[in-house]
């Protein structure tokens, strides 16, 4: 005799329904932690920087004087320092990064491509402080020797004297901007150099991955039209990959804006107006690193935190902008 | 008949140690449509890609024998594959317009590679090529819009126009309709008959009915061998080889 086949009940078994709910609750809780940390950070930054913002208002971010002795705090100089170092490092590192990505993805034979790619990624694993030490002990002396060589020429000394008069009156010209104002190699230029190396792996590894992901039929279509390898790269591969590469650039920019220790070690910690590429400067992050420990006075401490708040919003703004740009550049509607 | 446009002589193709195409001899006359048919993995696409030296791009791939295009051995010494490819157009399985370029820029991309900069000439060629691909009426008001805004069938006809723009002596089509719906497929099949006026077509197809509908000659490949090559009518109605008969009557493949 055949047992009739009983249909499965339409309601789910109570046990699985309960474990589903439990899991859902767990995931929700874990996800909320991230949001909570974000909200708390903003809240805490806002609360701690409130005294400074109440004292100076939003002109805290547009005022150029930063003088802990007289209790005057304005972040404009650090804001400029942050943008100048980051953007200059970006301009220097992006061509290098894209070139290395193209080498690894398109030119190098496999036995060479993988080790080189790995080494480039390894650059990202080197601690900041090691970069800082390397810059101080290896790069700075090289720059310092060049600077001393510069002053060996009497004509350059005369130029320096002229520029120094300008600098002392708080001004500079394009020519004077490139005249060294120091002899030890430390300063804005060294910070830019070290940032360039530090952010290189971010753009390079993202660029390499997106270049590898360009479909074979895009390359073949260009080859079949009678293109050389370089024409395939410049007309088919790079345009197709540009949104992804830009994603890597933005990642690098975020890294450069926030990079603290290495920059703090080499930039010369000057809160004056940037007058020379070779002179001292400071970024928002470097001032936080260099001054937070010494900031005993309440307004000073609060101003340092307000720098952090500004840096936070700067990063958020950059990321938001990046998303908009990337969305516009991404190829759409490929069949 | 006059000298053939294309003649393959003892062509063998290897991927590393594996031989994918064995000793193929084949001629293609000017102004004809020629179909390469056979089951998956039979070597028909591999053979097609040997003609414009696409295997040069695959590490480990090797072509032996002679492929003579209009009297010149494409693998001959001193032949530059880049300039040689300008004489041969290619249309791929999936529509692959350049997604960051406009419709217009896609069509003239081959001309720009050849160094043509004159706006009027580019416009002229773009219109002629798009008309040739039966796409002009649909895109003439949106030449500056992204190519990816077109439908799949339109994109494939755009790719045909892109290939036609450089006035190729030979047009290679690698299963050009396999990713398209029946209506788009029919439009492209209609197109091919007209294209015989301006070029010669070599088409790889999975679809035997398509081969029967559009081609003048048919070549049947099996396991890397060219089993049979002849007029399409003959291959489909009175095949000389029993393997061809088994395939065209649908007994395998």
């Amino acid at each position: 005799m055949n047992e009739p086949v009983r249909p499965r009940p339409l309601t789910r078994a109570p046990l699985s329904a309960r474990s589903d709910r439990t899991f859902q609750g767990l995931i929700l809780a874990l996800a909320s932690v991230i949001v909570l940390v974000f909200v708390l950070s903003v809240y805490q930054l806002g609360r701690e920087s409130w005294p400074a913002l109440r004292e100076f208002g939003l002109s805290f971010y547009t005022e150029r004087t930063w003088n802990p002795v007289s209790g005057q705090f304005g972040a404009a100089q650090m804001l400029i320092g942050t943008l100048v170092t980051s953007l200059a490092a970006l301009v220097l590192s992006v061509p290098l990064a894209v070139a290395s990505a193209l080498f690894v993805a398109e030119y190098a034979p496999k036995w060479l491509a993988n080790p080189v790619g790995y080494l480039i990624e390894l650059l990202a694993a080197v601690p900041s402080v090691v970069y800082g030490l390397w810059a101080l002990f290896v790069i700075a002396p090289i720059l310092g020797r060049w600077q001393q060589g510069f002053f060996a020429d009497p004509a350059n000394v005369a130029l320096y004297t002229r520029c120094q008069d300008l600098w002392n009156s708080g001004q500079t010209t394009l020519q004077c901007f490139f005249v060294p104002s120091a002899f030890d190699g430390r300063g804005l230029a060294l910070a830019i150099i070290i940032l360039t190396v530090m952010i290189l792996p971010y753009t390079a590894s993202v660029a390499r991955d997106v270049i590898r992901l360009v479909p074979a039929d895009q390359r073949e279509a260009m080859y079949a039209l009678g293109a050389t390898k370089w024409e395939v790269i410049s007309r088919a591969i790079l345009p197709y990959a540009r949104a992804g590469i830009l994603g890597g650039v933005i990642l690098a920019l975020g890294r450069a804006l926030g990079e603290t220790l290495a920059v703090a070690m080499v930039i010369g910690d000057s809160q004056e107006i940037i007058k020379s590429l070779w002179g001292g400067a400071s970024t928002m992050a470097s001032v936080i690193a260099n001054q937070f420990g010494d900031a005993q006075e309440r307004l000073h401490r609060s101003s340092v935190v307000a720098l952090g708040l500004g840096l936070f919003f700067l990063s958020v703004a950059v990321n938001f902008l990046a998303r908009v740009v990337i969305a516009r550049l991404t190829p759409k509607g490929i069949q | 008949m006059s000298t053939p446009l294309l003649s393959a002589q003892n062509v063998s193709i290897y991927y590393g140690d594996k031989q994918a195409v064995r000793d193929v001899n084949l001629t293609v006359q000017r102004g004809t449509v020629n179909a390469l048919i056979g089951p998956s993995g039979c070597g028909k696409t591999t053979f097609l890609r040997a003609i414009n030296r696409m295997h040069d791009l695959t590490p480990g791939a090797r072509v032996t024998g002679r492929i003579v295009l209009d009297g010149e051995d494409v693998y001959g010494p001193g032949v530059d594959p880049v300039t040689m490819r300008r004489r041969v157009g290619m249309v791929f399985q999936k529509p692959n317009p350049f997604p960051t370029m406009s419709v217009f820029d896609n069509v003239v991309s081959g001309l720009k590679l050849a160094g043509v900069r004159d706006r009027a000439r580019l416009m002229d060629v773009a219109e002629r090529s798009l008309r040739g691909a039966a796409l002009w009426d649909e895109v003439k008001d949106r030449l500056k819009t992204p190519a990816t805004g077109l439908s799949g069938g339109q994109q494939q006809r755009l790719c045909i126009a892109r290939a036609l723009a450089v006035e190729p002596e030979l047009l290679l089509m690698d299963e050009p309709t396999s990713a398209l719906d029946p209506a788009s497929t029919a439009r492209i099949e209609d197109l091919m008959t007209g294209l015989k006026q301006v070029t010669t077509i070599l088409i790889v197809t999975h679809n035997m009915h398509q081969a029967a509908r559009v081609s003048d000659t048919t070549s049947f490949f099996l396991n890397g061998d060219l089993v049979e090559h002849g007029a399409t009518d003959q291959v489909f109605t009175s095949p000389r080889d029993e393997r061809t008969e088994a395939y065209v009557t649908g007994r395998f493949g």
Side-chain angles (χ1 to χ4, degrees):
Chain A
M1 191 185 133
N2 280 338
E3 190 80 14
V5 180
R6 261 192 296 178
R8 264 182 79 126
L10 290 174
T11 52
R12 257 185 290 171
L15 177 69
S16 82
R18 204 165 53 231
S19 65
D20 258 10
R21 271 203 305 277
T22 312
F23 187 66
Q24 196 179 357
L26 188 70
I27 291 293
L28 194 70
L30 290 174
S32 330
V33 168
I34 295 170
V35 179
L36 199 68
V37 167
F38 183 86
V39 170
L40 278 178
S41 315
V42 178
Y43 170 75
Q44 197 63 22
L45 278 172
R47 206 172 68 107
E48 296 271 330
S49 52
W50 178 240
L53 292 179
R54 194 183 43 200
E55 177 80 20
F56 305 110
L58 276 181
S59 63
F60 175 78
Y61 293 106
T62 54
E63 193 54 53
R64 291 184 148 187
T65 313
W66 179 277
N67 190 339
V69 179
S70 67
Q72 274 225 312
F73 297 100
Q77 220 40 62
M78 296 97 187
L79 192 65
I80 293 170
T82 301
L83 292 175
V84 166
T85 50
S86 299
L87 294 177
L90 213 57
V91 167
L92 292 176
S93 83
V94 167
L96 285 172
V98 173
S100 80
L102 282 174
F103 175 74
V104 169
E106 297 291 322
Y107 285 95
K110 224 188 187 115
W111 61 266
L112 188 61
N114 288 336
V116 170
Y118 182 68
L119 280 178
I120 291 171
E121 270 172 31
L122 215 58
L123 285 179
V126 176
S128 259
V129 65
V130 175
Y131 276 112
L133 288 174
W134 180 61
L136 280 183
F137 292 122
V138 180
I139 312 288
I142 295 173
L143 295 182
R145 270 201 296 284
W146 176 81
Q147 286 163 348
Q148 281 154 23
F150 179 85
F151 289 110
D153 184 342
N156 285 340
V157 176
L159 176 63
Y160 172 77
T161 316
R162 273 205 310 282
C163 286
Q164 204 176 27
D165 289 342
L166 264 180
W167 291 338
N168 287 339
S169 63
Q171 292 173 331
T172 192
T173 60
L174 191 62
Q175 191 187 23
C176 287
F177 184 73
F178 290 100
V179 169
S181 62
F183 311 89
D184 61 357
R186 292 218 267 178
L188 187 60
L190 186 56
I192 291 171
I193 291 171
I194 203 67
L195 271 180
T196 302
V197 179
M198 291 180 79
I199 65 179
L200 185 71
Y202 295 92
T203 315
S205 63
V206 172
R208 181 197 59 192
D209 290 345
V210 297
I211 285 169
R212 280 187 177 160
L213 284 174
V214 173
D217 66 1
Q218 287 286 318
R219 298 155 196 262
E220 289 181 349
M222 201 49 100
Y223 273 119
L225 287 167
T228 60
K229 181 157 191 165
W230 169 243
E231 285 165 335
V232 170
I233 289 171
S234 62
R235 297 179 190 212
I237 294 176
L238 289 179
Y240 193 97
R242 67 187 180 191
I245 293 174
L246 194 72
V249 172
I250 299 300
L251 196 66
L253 178 59
R255 183 70 219 261
L257 289 173
E259 176 47 42
T260 307
L261 195 57
V263 173
M265 288 166 81
V266 305
I267 199 167
D269 195 29
S270 153
Q271 279 85 51
E272 288 178 27
I273 292 170
I274 297 171
K275 295 165 217 151
S276 162
L277 179 61
W278 307 98
S282 58
T283 67
M284 298 166 98
S286 79
V287 169
I288 294 174
N290 283 327
Q291 298 194 1
F292 193 75
D294 304 331
Q296 301 300 330
E297 201 244 328
R298 186 161 168 267
L299 195 58
H300 187 187
R301 194 179 175 85
S302 170
S303 297
V304 170
V305 177
L307 281 179
L309 186 69
L311 190 56
F312 179 87
F313 281 118
L314 188 63
S315 303
V316 170
V318 163
N319 271 297
F320 180 76
L321 192 71
R323 276 170 190 275
V324 174
V325 174
I326 288 171
R328 290 197 52 166
L329 286 181
T330 305
K332 284 183 256 319
I334 296 173
Q335 293 289 314
Chain B
M1 256 197 181
S2 58
T3 51
L5 173 69
L6 180 81
S7 101
Q9 297 156 18
N10 302 318
V11 172
S12 291
I13 303 164
Y14 305 82
Y15 293 116
D17 297 334
K18 194 177 152 282
Q19 186 165 13
V21 168
R22 203 172 297 109
D23 252 349
V24 167
N25 289 281
L26 183 74
T27 57
V28 171
Q29 301 296 334
R30 285 164 216 276
T32 58
V33 175
N34 306 270
L36 309 179
I37 62 169
S40 295
C42 67
K44 54 193 191 300
T45 293
T46 301
F47 176 74
L48 188 84
R49 292 165 61 89
I51 294 167
N52 63 344
R53 294 188 61 165
M54 292 305 267
H55 293 305
D56 289 17
L57 311 170
T58 315
R62 196 156 53 84
V63 180
T64 63
R66 274 161 62 82
I67 296 178
V68 180
L69 177 68
D70 203 13
E72 192 181 2
D73 183 358
V74 301
Y75 287 92
V79 172
D80 176 13
V82 171
T83 43
M84 178 257 143
R85 287 191 193 112
R86 292 192 183 144
R87 296 164 55 192
V88 182
M90 191 164 199
V91 178
F92 297 79
Q93 264 189 42
K94 279 189 342 186
N96 57 353
F98 302 121
T100 57
M101 293 185 195
S102 66
V103 171
F104 176 80
D105 286 333
N106 260 281
V107 179
V108 300
S109 49
L111 259 72
K112 284 190 171 168
L113 284 172
V116 178
R117 291 283 172 274
D118 177 25
R119 261 334 261 186
R121 164 114 192 269
L122 290 175
M123 195 58 225
D124 209 42
V125 174
E127 178 172 349
R128 186 163 43 74
S129 310
L130 286 166
R131 281 189 193 282
L135 190 58
W136 174 253
D137 290 334
E138 291 158 64
V139 300
K140 63 182 178 212
D141 300 321
R142 50 202 279 206
L143 293 175
K144 294 288 165 219
T145 62
T148 45
L150 304 180
S151 73
Q154 288 173 326
Q155 287 189 16
Q156 192 63 310
R157 276 179 283 144
L158 178 64
C159 292
I160 293 174
R162 180 174 69 186
L164 289 177
V166 289
E167 298 180 30
E169 296 161 59
L170 179 65
L171 182 60
L172 306 175
M173 304 179 103
D174 184 7
E175 300 188 34
T177 61
S178 62
L180 302 182
D181 61 84
S184 303
T185 300
R187 294 206 63 161
I188 286 178
E189 287 181 7
D190 289 345
L191 191 58
M192 281 191 248
T193 319
L195 289 179
K196 285 200 279 192
Q197 310 297 323
V198 291
T199 187
T200 304
I201 295 176
L202 199 56
I203 176 174
V204 164
T205 176
H206 245 99
N207 179 338
M208 277 182 287
H209 302 292
Q210 182 169 66
R213 280 192 298 266
V214 302
S215 70
D216 302 300
T217 69
T218 295
S219 312
F220 172 59
F221 280 75
L222 187 64
N223 299 327
D225 293 309
L226 175 57
V227 172
E228 184 158 353
H229 171 65
T232 298
D233 283 347
Q234 175 256 312
V235 172
F236 278 91
T237 57
S238 53
R240 284 187 289 266
D241 193 291
E242 61 188 28
R243 289 170 295 174
T244 313
E245 185 181 5
Y247 183 73
V248 300
T249 53
R251 267 185 275 152
F252 74 95

